[in-house]
Amino acid sequence: MLALVSSCASRAEGVLIPISVDNPATSKVNVLVATTRKESEVPGMLYSGERGQKAEMTAITVSIPPDRSRKIGQVQWPRRLPPDPATEFATTRVEPFNRGEARAWLRSHLPPSGRVLVFVHGFNNQYEDAVYRFAQIVHDSGADVAPVLFTWPSRGSIFAYNYDKESTNYSRHALEELLRDLSRDGRVREITVMAHSMGSWLTVEALRQMAIRDGRVAPKIRNVILASPDLDVDVFGQQMAEIGRPRPDFTLFVSQDDRALNLSRRISGNVDRLGQVDPRIEPYRSEFEKAGITVLDLTALQGGDPLNHGKFAESPYVVRLLGNRLIAGQTVTDSPVGLGESIGALAVGTAQTVGSAASVAVSAPIAVFDPRTRRTYTEQVDRFGQALGGTIQTAVGQ
């Protein structure tokens, strides 16, 4: 639903017409794009929101303005064509590929780590929305990966929710085949799949199909990151059971103030959406711990999206965390103490030293809950409350 915000602003259409960019201060992001969309007849759009007969591949290079001319987490959309590369995103290369050419591209763009990042966008995204947003994530996160985008047929309209949902089902096999092809490449060592919103349903379904078909998810698929997942919590539990073990490490970005998921919940039988749950309460706390799922709660994080649905891509804190840790398959903290405990200790120290009434969440706006953290979180909150109470008593006594 990121396009809900960007579509409101004035911007040019057909931005995927390549131009020459000579500004050495700009950055270039090369993306391999796989899609199940139908080709568009509109110049510069490449693919429409309708469903194509087969998956197609395209290599696209996006120019990103110098850091001094932009804000991390934002896509600087061209207001008119041709774009100004000094201040706006621009397309410098578009090259359709067959399967063999796509393999060659992948091998030439693999970093020494052999790591691939596959991104699956969410509801209400046009083709160009997905391309530019993914380029922004790759650039701002600094991720050392070969970036691969899977874009499915979304009509880019808030009134096409059911069409988009069926389009994810239409695209399950194509995403499964893409992930299988990447896994079979001998030079690829590790794959991280990151999905946003409704793309999370498509991603987990593709992994479930792979597990049923092959007996397990391909071992090279090490990490799955679901950002603001628009997924029925009951369905997700069943999907995870059918994926079975061993399975990739799952990380969720959730936010209880996600207005887009609140709307999705209303039109989906009033069942909790996975991206909106509170990981501190039952039954989610125990279920996440049992499944070994790490949850990053962004509720206290202020974002630029009025719907609070795109914090994972727009927050400088989160995109750096993605690049430095999660996409690389590392734990969020190197400390042997769970980060939830570190958050609690930070809050206690603040209260004792400064007399601040800041809560745990306010002290650290990204709250991380892994299985170890969840086992100690209540104790940490209690300790924080005791320390805060003592601080208040001391202040009153003075």
Side-chain angles (χ1 to χ4, degrees):
M1 288 191 181
L2 290 174
L4 281 173
V5 179
S6 61
S7 62
C8 295
S10 174
R11 78 183 207 197
E13 293 186 356
V15 299
L16 298 180
I17 297 175
I19 67 169
S20 176
V21 175
D22 298 323
N23 188 337
T26 60
S27 301
K28 302 295 191 300
V29 176
N30 301 299
V31 180
L32 182 64
V33 186
T35 187
T36 48
R37 296 174 185 253
K38 183 179 180 180
E39 287 189 34
S40 172
E41 297 179 357
V42 179
M45 289 193 68
L46 299 189
Y47 291 91
S48 69
E50 303 306 303
R51 298 162 187 160
Q53 294 299 310
K54 62 178 182 177
E56 298 187 359
M57 311 285 286
T58 308
I60 299 178
T61 301
V62 178
S63 170
I64 296 179
D67 290 345
R68 65 178 180 271
S69 301
R70 60 181 301 267
K71 182 180 179 181
I72 292 177
Q74 301 298 315
V75 174
Q76 284 67 42
W77 283 95
R79 293 186 175 273
R80 61 185 62 85
L81 298 179
D84 179 2
T87 58
E88 298 170 329
F89 279 44
T91 304
T92 64
R93 176 190 177 214
V94 173
E95 186 174 357
F97 277 167
N98 59 34
R99 204 165 180 173
E101 291 169 331
R103 290 196 191 100
W105 182 98
L106 178 67
R107 293 184 178 184
S108 66
H109 288 82
L110 269 176
S113 65
R115 187 173 293 119
V116 176
L117 173 62
V118 178
F119 179 61
V120 185
H121 64 79
F123 163 63
N124 188 25
N125 271 230
Q126 296 178 350
Y127 184 89
E128 59 192 29
D129 295 327
V131 171
Y132 273 21
R133 175 58 76 182
F134 186 40
Q136 173 260 310
I137 292 172
V138 173
H139 175 270
D140 291 349
S141 69
D144 185 31
V145 295
V148 178
L149 169 65
F150 183 87
T151 171
W152 46 275
S154 166
R155 284 181 172 166
S157 168
I158 60 174
F159 303 107
Y161 186 89
N162 288 330
Y163 173 86
D164 279 17
K165 184 62 178 290
E166 293 304 321
S167 290
T168 62
N169 294 330
Y170 178 81
S171 303
R172 286 179 296 190
H173 179 70
L175 177 56
E176 178 192 355
E177 284 301 300
L178 172 66
L179 295 174
R180 184 175 284 107
D181 283 350
L182 292 171
S183 299
R184 286 172 176 167
D185 192 305
R187 300 188 186 184
V188 173
R189 298 178 186 174
E190 182 176 314
I191 300 168
T192 293
V193 186
M194 181 167 64
H196 178 236
S197 187
M198 193 181 284
S200 298
W201 160 262
L202 168 56
T203 295
V204 181
E205 275 293 282
L207 295 174
R208 184 186 70 88
Q209 284 188 177
M210 179 184 289
I212 293 173
R213 200 185 312 271
D214 300 341
R216 63 162 296 171
V217 172
K220 289 183 182 179
I221 303 175
R222 305 277 182 84
N223 309 289
V224 177
I225 302 169
L226 305 181
S228 308
D230 187 2
L231 244 171
D232 181 309
V233 292
D234 297 330
V235 174
F236 178 68
Q238 187 65 27
Q239 288 171 319
M240 292 294 283
E242 292 173 354
I243 288 173
R245 294 182 184 272
R247 61 173 173 244
D249 293 328
F250 275 75
T251 300
L252 311 180
F253 286 99
V254 304
S255 186
Q256 287 99 65
D257 63 353
D258 190 319
R259 295 187 180 94
L261 292 184
N262 187 49
L263 176 61
S264 176
R265 174 180 173 174
R266 291 184 189 179
I267 64 178
S268 302
N270 206 35
V271 178
D272 285 346
R273 313 311 286 174
L274 183 63
Q276 206 180 21
V277 302
D278 186 339
R280 299 169 298 178
I281 66 174
E282 298 294 352
Y284 304 120
R285 175 175 170 170
S286 297
E287 290 300 318
F288 288 145
E289 182 176 340
K290 183 169 63 177
I293 295 174
T294 297
V295 184
L296 287 84
D297 190 343
L298 309 183
T299 304
L301 189 67
Q302 186 174 2
D305 173 5
L307 296 176
N308 296 318
H309 194 57
K311 293 181 182 179
F312 84 104
E314 296 185 344
S315 165
Y317 300 107
V318 180
V319 292
R320 287 174 182 141
L321 179 63
L322 283 168
N324 294 337
R325 292 285 177 176
L326 295 176
I327 293 173
Q330 300 180 34
T331 56
V332 177
T333 175
D334 290 326
S335 169
V337 180
L339 187 55
E341 299 175 81
S342 301
I343 290 173
L346 173 62
V348 170
T350 301
Q352 290 176 332
T353 304
V354 185
S356 168
S359 68
V360 172
V362 172
S363 295
I366 304 175
V368 182
F369 299 85
D370 60 20
R372 176 178 52 203
T373 296
R374 279 187 290 275
R375 287 193 291 270
T376 61
Y377 186 77
T378 301
E379 177 186 347
Q380 294 298 323
V381 171
D382 289 343
R383 286 174 53 195
F384 170 68
Q386 293 169 5
L388 180 59
T391 302
I392 294 173
Q393 289 175 2
T394 302
V396 171
Q398 293 175 346

